[in-house]
Amino acid sequence: MSTFKKLFGVEKESIKKNCIILPFASNDILNGLGVSKLSRGKLYGCAQTRDFSVIHSGMGTSLTGDAVLYLKESPCENLFLFGGCGSTGTLAIGAIVSVFLAYEEESFSKSLLSPVHNSWPSFYPNRMFEESIEKAGIFKRANCLTVSSLKLESERLGEFRRQSIDVVDMECSAFFSAARFNKQKALGLLFVTDVVNQRPFYETRLATERKLLQSSIKKGAHFLCDFIRADIQKNPVV
């Protein structure tokens, strides 16, 4: 059995040109993507549809970044991150954003010991994908900061706002940097699950908030499916 199959539960040759990466895989997300079950490997879960592969990477930069790096061995060319994020206050629960710029603050120790930052390393989605999203006019473009600590993000919210950070997550910068390293096209689509310090992640969601999230997940999932199918029609595999 190959290393890839041990880790992903499928052989690398079965991976599609288009892959959707999920840091977490709720039933709402899987159902929206037309997936009923994941094949489990040692680290990752995988499912195949007609048009794309779905990879459950797990949360955090290391798992998500490594998943992308391993996918370099496969036929994957286009990568789509679909996951949750926290709003710094300008976006409400249920909003969906296209990540225009991802800053990285991935090191827990560095974040803890160096609380003030003049600049963060930055990473970007594929320009062609981003332009297509912008033309669609459906989702807001957002600046994302990938963080390593949920506690520190709460304490440093004011700094993040001053630096024009719209949302925070725990995967996006690693996702973009690994895709760039692989020379693969990448796009990040995130839905707001909480508002830092106002509606924190550990609070129980109101019924109205749960409905908003379910609706947003369905909308985002369906958009990704249509986006990928449109790309396949324009760039068919010969």
Side-chain angles (χ1 to χ4, degrees):
M1 184 185 297
S2 68
T3 299
F4 192 95
K5 186 169 185 179
K6 289 176 183 177
L7 296 179
F8 285 81
V10 298
E11 292 290 359
K12 61 186 177 183
E13 292 81 7
S14 69
I15 298 296
K16 306 284 188 179
K17 173 184 174 182
N18 295 282
C19 290
I20 298 176
I21 307 295
L22 308 176
F24 58 95
S26 68
N27 287 334
D28 286 335
I29 295 174
L30 294 177
N31 290 338
L33 296 172
V35 172
S36 58
K37 185 179 179 181
L38 294 167
S39 298
R40 293 299 316 182
K42 292 289 185 180
L43 286 182
Y44 306 114
C46 185
Q48 311 288 2
T49 74
R50 184 189 64 182
D51 300 317
F52 53 84
S53 298
V54 175
I55 309 291
H56 176 212
S57 64
M59 296 179 67
T61 53
S62 295
L63 284 170
T64 298
D66 275 350
V68 174
L69 292 182
Y70 278 115
L71 287 169
K72 186 177 183 180
E73 306 171 16
S74 78
C76 175
E77 297 179 17
N78 303 323
L79 288 154
F80 304 89
L81 181 70
F82 188 47
C85 63
S87 167
T88 60
T90 59
L91 296 164
I93 289 173
I96 307 177
V97 300
S98 169
V99 178
F100 170 70
L101 170 62
Y103 294 108
E104 73 93 353
E105 195 178 53
E106 298 173 18
S107 169
F108 182 93
S109 298
K110 183 178 179 181
S111 300
L112 184 63
L113 299 174
S114 304
V116 178
H117 297 275
N118 295 321
S119 63
W120 292 291
S122 55
F123 303 92
Y124 298 85
N126 174 263
R127 181 178 296 179
M128 183 178 67
F129 284 170
E130 177 62 23
E131 288 175 353
S132 295
I133 290 281
E134 188 173 8
K135 286 178 182 177
I138 301 173
F139 307 121
K140 174 183 170 60
R141 298 201 317 174
N143 293 334
C144 177
L145 176 65
T146 297
V147 298
S148 55
S149 168
L150 295 170
K151 188 174 191 306
L152 291 178
E153 77 174 19
S154 175
E155 295 176 0
R156 297 176 184 171
L157 179 61
E159 178 190 351
F160 297 167
R161 286 176 173 171
R162 286 191 295 274
Q163 303 247 16
S164 300
I165 301 299
D166 301 301
V167 297
V168 290
D169 88 326
M170 303 190 85
E171 295 87 21
C172 205
S173 63
F175 169 77
F176 281 155
S177 62
R180 185 173 73 178
F181 183 84
N182 286 355
K183 295 181 171 58
Q184 295 163 321
K185 298 175 184 176
L187 177 74
L189 205 63
L190 306 178
F191 46 89
V192 175
T193 59
D194 58 277
V195 181
V196 180
N197 291 350
Q198 295 179 31
R199 295 293 295 148
F201 68 93
Y202 49 80
E203 295 288 353
T204 302
R205 293 284 152 261
L206 301 173
T208 52
E209 292 170 333
R210 291 197 299 271
K211 286 184 179 180
L212 280 172
L213 270 175
Q214 288 174 338
S215 176
S216 295
I217 288 169
K218 183 177 180 179
K219 180 180 179 181
H222 287 181
F223 176 86
L224 279 178
C225 293
D226 291 341
F227 187 87
I228 290 170
R229 291 187 188 110
D231 184 69
I232 289 173
Q233 290 173 0
K234 287 187 295 184
N235 303 288
V237 177
V238 179

